[in-house]
Amino acid sequence: MKKEKYSFKSESKQLLNLMIHSLYSNKEIFLRELISNASDAIEKSKFISMSQKKFFSYEKKYEIKIYLDKKDKKITIKDNGIGMRKEEVIKNLGTIAKSGTKDFIKSIEKNKNNDFIGKFGVGFYSAFIVAKKVYVNTLSMYEKTTHNSVMWKSYGDGKYSIEKSKKNDVGTDVILFLKDSEKNILNNTIIKDIIKKYSDHINIPIKIQEYNEKEKIYEWKKINSAESLWTLDKKKISTDKYINFYKYITKDNNEPITWSHNKVEGKIEYTILLYIPSKSPWDIWNREKKTGLKLYINKVYIMDNVEQFLPNYLRFVKGIIDTKDLPLNVSREILQEHSDIQTIKKTITKKILYVIKNIEKSKYINFWKEFGSIIKEGIAEDITNKNLISELLLFSSIKTNNENVYLSLHEYLNNMEKSQKNIYFITSDSYESAKNNPHLEFFKEKKIDVLILHERIDEWMMNYLTEFKGIKFKSVNKFDESLHDTTNKKNKKILETTKKTKKIIKKIEKILKNKIKKVHLTQKFSKTPAALTTDVNDMSTQMAKLFSAAGQKVPEIKYILEINPEHELIKNIFKISDEKNFAKWIKVIFDQAILNEKGSLPIPSKFIKRINSLLINSFLKIK
Ligand code: ADP
Ligand code: MG
């Protein structure tokens, strides 16, 4: 093979410069990245040789060796992992803006301070932070007998070359020719510290040559503890180790809120280490994206993002599961159909829900802000755990009087008024519009708290959340006979439908005949002339909005028009004898109620016209 020359895609060079520049204060992470790649390559090789024993032998001593060459100012990271064929070298090392790097660049643009950078997975190209030239000499395990090894060379200047190389052992050597300014890194103590700091949890030995004074020879010494963290005794794992492991498996730069580490025994035995992150990834709503646990079988890494162990509404949970009781050649399809997996999923789900329930209050608010709307999906999705999930819910309410101050359902029940029989809630597009909804007047006056729900998912969730601890939920947007209490003397007088009012109601119903179901007198409002409710079994306004936002046709809702006969405006309207004028006023009142309920009118110009003509009339009277 002749030496072949390639160049990167055009923007790559700029990206590389940007990365090198912003990582400079944290340059030691290049070693973490290269060790992580070496360890991935070894995990892949382990897996292939174990699952295809016929073709590959598994007697190898897997290890990562780091050579420091002071004379030539070189560092070599050598692994005996899977290696790469020529096409793989081109595919894997030929583009800079791989996923990790892209996310990274995005973060630099957003976040100007530097301290987060050390924890970011930035990949192979971080080698150029310290190296002026990088060689990759690699022999794929599939080319062991053909000896088709390749050498990749680049100055990080937008070009690279590939040629045939000499390499007899399977694996990859990454050779860094250090920049003159970086040669002080060629120091055993420095390298050992970096490995301890970032790569201690890697469960493959990372070795470095040390001089043995007594024997007068160099020998390879293991630097990291090289154990699979989850196999260790909980008591022996420090908080730091748990956190570092989290960052390693997730590439998340934030610390997790909490974690849970358990060995579960039963028909299938397994160990789980589950983390609750503190920040939700920006693409958590991307349904195409696979999320899930990392699967190990007897400490051998099998695959990432195995979603079969988690219900969808817990897709933000990260961690690993390790079991001896599944075959190495397990596939996603097998997992999907395996009945034991369902049992494991159930156990894991319960476990996580309890872990979440036990998050300290001060941290829980943060958790809720990040993941609350995802947890809400569980109310509909997971009937068996509905009660447990209900206990995790937080709401703002009339009484908390702030969008960001929450209360749990337990707290709501504890604060209920003596006579109160239901848990009341309102759904709306936004907190502000819910808070000012006329339906709340009545509850404010009676000092009955109402939960304020204003997220897209809420209306849908409330279809499934019908009661809590035996107490029923009731929407204040729905017509509720029990609120029109006539046992009270004052109410009785207001709501009494005399012959005269009966006639007026009939008249109004005729004017609005296609638009409403019926007219009902109410004593519920103090400041509002009229408002709409939907009948108990009819679709709510919010639900209709959700459907039409999803592109579905919804039949027009027929509302119940609740009129407040005590309101000055209504009192006066009821006195109007001119039919045409009366109809005009009623239409205005109805449109107002629609505005309050929906936030918009089908034909705003008609409403404006009517209002204007009424305003002009009032001026004429003043004159
Ligand atoms: P990532 O590790 O996130 O995939 P990197 O930039 O670190 O991104 O590496 C790019 C790819 O190059 C890896 O996915 C892998 O396929 C390949 N690679 C890098 N280092 C090695 C190695 N030591 N052995 C085999 N393949 C490697
Ligand atoms: Mg990598």
Side-chain angles (χ1 to χ4, degrees), residues 416-428:
M416 268 178 32
E417 291 297 304
K418 273 210 189 78
S419 59
Q420 191 181 339
K421 295 201 175 56
N422 298 301
I423 302 172
Y424 291 102
F425 69 95
I426 182 166
T427 51
S428 179

Side-chain angles (χ1 to χ4, degrees), residues 33-34 36-38 40-41 44 79 82-84 92-93 98-101 122-125 138 172 174 251:
E33 294 300 322
L34 298 178
S36 143
N37 285 351
D40 288 350
K44 284 177 198 160
D79 68 64
I82 186 170
M84 283 176 277
N92 297 333
L93 305 184
K98 286 179 44 77
S99 57
T101 324
V122 288
F124 171 76
Y125 279 87
T138 180
T172 303
V174 177
K251 296 189 172 169

Side-chain angles (χ1 to χ4, degrees), residues 314-509:
L314 295 177
R315 61 185 174 277
F316 55 86
V317 174
K318 299 282 176 218
I320 66 105
I321 173 164
D322 189 353
T323 174
K324 292 190 175 87
D325 299 335
L326 284 172
L328 273 167
N329 63 355
V330 72
S331 64
R332 287 182 198 273
E333 291 68 34
I334 294 178
L335 287 174
Q336 197 70 51
E337 278 149 27
H338 207 294
S339 65
D340 293 330
I341 303 301
Q342 287 307 320
T343 321
I344 297 178
K345 180 175 170 179
K346 273 188 198 144
T347 311
I348 291 182
T349 303
K350 275 247 154 57
K351 184 98 235 157
I352 296 171
L353 291 175
Y354 279 108
V355 168
I356 294 175
K357 199 177 162 193
N358 289 326
I359 294 175
E360 315 158 40
K361 206 165 177 197
S362 60
K363 291 183 176 168
Y364 194 80
I365 303 283
N366 167 44
F367 167 80
W368 185 253
K369 286 194 170 140
E370 292 293 323
F371 303 112
S373 45
I374 301 172
I375 289 285
K376 285 175 178 175
E377 295 173 13
I379 294 286
E381 204 179 303
D382 187 353
I383 300 160
T384 16
N385 290 308
K386 193 152 97 177
N387 286 332
L388 193 48
I389 302 168
S390 321
E391 300 195 25
L392 303 178
L393 301 176
L394 290 185
F395 302 89
S396 40
S397 76
I398 301 187
K399 284 187 185 166
T400 74
N401 198 24
N402 184 320
E403 187 173 354
N404 296 309
V405 179
Y406 302 108
L407 116 160
S408 70
L409 290 175
H410 276 294
E411 286 166 321
Y412 183 95
L413 292 193
N414 288 339
N415 294 331
M416 268 178 32
E417 291 297 304
K418 273 210 189 78
S419 59
Q420 191 181 339
K421 295 201 175 56
N422 298 301
I423 302 172
Y424 291 102
F425 69 95
I426 182 166
T427 51
S428 179
D429 293 341
S430 72
Y431 175 80
E432 278 307 314
S433 82
K435 220 185 118 193
N436 296 305
N437 191 296
H439 287 299
L440 296 186
E441 281 174 23
F442 171 80
F443 295 90
K444 283 178 189 160
E445 205 156 278
K446 295 260 176 215
K447 301 209 162 43
I448 295 173
D449 205 4
V450 176
L451 303 174
I452 298 181
L453 286 86
H454 54 88
E455 289 186 344
R456 275 178 74 102
I457 183 160
D458 288 333
E459 185 68 36
W460 184 60
M461 170 178 78
M462 292 316 289
N463 275 331
Y464 295 87
L465 188 61
T466 47
E467 58 172 70
F468 181 69
K469 307 270 163 208
I471 314 267
K472 289 217 156 45
F473 282 88
K474 257 194 179 166
S475 161
V476 306
N477 313 75
K478 291 254 156 161
F479 182 72
D480 185 351
E481 191 70 60
S482 70
L483 299 179
H484 300 269
D485 177 15
T486 47
T487 50
N488 167 315
K489 238 187 182 169
K490 195 179 143 224
N491 286 352
K492 200 171 174 188
K493 199 169 153 258
I494 297 171
L495 300 177
E496 207 168 35
T497 42
T498 55
K499 236 183 177 173
K500 201 177 139 214
T501 46
K502 257 189 198 148
K503 227 175 102 190
I504 294 177
I505 288 175
K506 277 254 154 63
K507 222 160 66 173
I508 299 173
E509 284 173 346

Side-chain angles (χ1 to χ4, degrees), residues 6 44 59 64 66 114 159 191 204 246 254 282 303 316 331 339-340 383 396 409 421 434 511 526 537 593 605:
Y6 299 85
K44 284 177 198 160
E59 69 259 48
I64 299 166
I66 305 199
N114 256 357
K159 297 189 292 274
I191 296 291
I204 291 153
Y246 168 80
N254 305 289
W282 59 275
M303 58 184 148
F316 55 86
S331 64
S339 65
D340 293 330
I383 300 160
S396 40
L409 290 175
K421 295 201 175 56
I511 293 166
S526 46
N537 293 319
S605 61

